[in-house]
Amino acid sequence: EPEVTQTPSHQVTQMGQEVILRCVPISNHLYFYWYRQILGQKVEFLVSFYNNEISEKSEIFDDQFSVERPDGSNFTLKIRSTKLEDSAMYFCASSERAGGEAFFGQGTRLTVV
Amino acid sequence: AQSVTQPDIHITVSEGASLELRCNYSYGATPYLFWYVQSPGQGLQLLLKYFSGDTLVQGIKGFEAEFKRSQSSFNLRKPSVHWSDAAEYFCAVAHNQAGTALIFGKGTTLSVSS
């Protein structure tokens, strides 16, 4: 069964460093998303991406964040100058169509120290 | 703005008993509605979805949910809970047009007692 894969599963980084979280969405899906879940809190939408551009973003997704689809399979989230409060589980998801069911990856746990 | 409310933070149910998890949404039109389950340390797995049509939808693992427009609710039910159902359950809503973001509720943690 096709699935969304994320790497790494766990990343530890020092405050102020840049991190890149990687995702391989399901191959025939056209919409890609990043969500985050701070420990013990709800899942929050960050950004959606379609046709090689951002289609929607939340207020969380400020200039510190960027997304890219560098090739036909990968979808990345870059966090510049990480802060302690960026520590969270980051989920990538993809869907065939807008508003359709999203399939989630297993997540990358980011720990900023 | 869209929002999703799951009024119960934590529910404990005896194994074999029935379960109902509540979800209310706020949205101007009929949204797409979802229930996801998250086991500890795992990602989110889709249990079921409602787009249109029959308001009672069946999902995986014996779960079902009923969309009630008049109550803006989409409650999740299971007639007989198994110990393996212990997890966190999230209700989510999406635009039914061009919007793509899922808005999640805060989740309900289900514990199953023997």
Side-chain angles (χ1 to χ4, degrees), chain A:
Chain A
E1 185 177 327
E3 59 180 16
V4 176
T5 57
Q6 291 185 243
T7 54
S9 57
H10 192 182
Q11 172 127 21
V12 181
T13 189
Q14 289 199 326
M15 194 167 50
Q17 296 297 304
E18 174 182 288
V19 295
I20 297 176
L21 309 183
R22 304 181 190 279
C23 169
V24 179
I26 294 173
S27 61
N28 65 330
H29 286 186
L30 301 177
Y31 294 84
F32 315 117
Y33 317 85
W34 284 101
Y35 291 82
R36 80 172 183 189
Q37 184 181 31
I38 295 172
L39 187 64
Q41 299 187 23
K42 67 176 180 179
V43 178
E44 301 174 291
F45 168 73
L46 293 178
V47 65
S48 60
F49 192 85
Y50 169 72
N51 200 26
N52 285 318
E53 61 183 24
I54 291 173
S55 53
E56 194 171 358
K57 62 181 181 179
S58 72
E59 59 187 21
I60 302 170
F61 194 87
D62 59 21
D63 292 342
Q64 184 193 5
F65 296 89
S66 62
V67 289
E68 191 178 29
R69 188 155 163 81
D71 54 43
S73 60
N74 290 285
F75 179 52
T76 61
L77 174 69
K78 181 188 291 185
I79 309 175
R80 287 180 282 274
S81 189
T82 50
K83 299 174 285 196
L84 294 176
E85 52 264 39
D86 294 326
S87 296
M89 182 75 91
Y90 288 82
F91 291 106
C92 175
S94 68
S95 65
E96 271 189 275
R97 59 189 174 93
E101 58 184 282
F103 291 83
F104 284 77
Q106 294 290 85
T108 294
R109 178 163 297 285
L110 176 66
T111 303
V112 182
V113 296

Side-chain angles (χ1 to χ4, degrees), chain B residues 27-78:
Chain B
Y27 184 62
T30 301
Y32 292 165
L33 294 160
F34 308 84
W35 275 98
Y36 283 87
V37 61
Q38 183 182 35
S39 297
Q42 300 296 308
L44 295 159
Q45 182 182 24
L46 180 69
L47 283 176
L48 47 77
K49 60 186 183 288
Y50 172 78
F51 289 164
S52 64
D54 193 346
T55 56
L56 184 64
V57 293
Q58 302 297 320
I60 63 171
K61 304 184 180 185
F63 285 92
E64 66 177 28
E66 185 172 11
F67 169 61
K68 292 185 177 180
R69 184 191 304 274
S70 61
Q71 298 176 18
S72 296
S73 69
F74 188 57
N75 294 348
L76 181 71
R77 300 195 294 249
K78 186 169 184 177

Side-chain angles (χ1 to χ4, degrees), chain B residues 12 16 22 36 41 69 72 78 91 94-95 97 100 106 108 114:
Chain B
T12 299
R22 296 183 291 165
Y36 283 87
R69 184 191 304 274
S72 296
K78 186 169 184 177
C91 181
H95 295 286
Q97 298 174 17
T100 55
K106 291 186 176 181
T108 297
S114 55

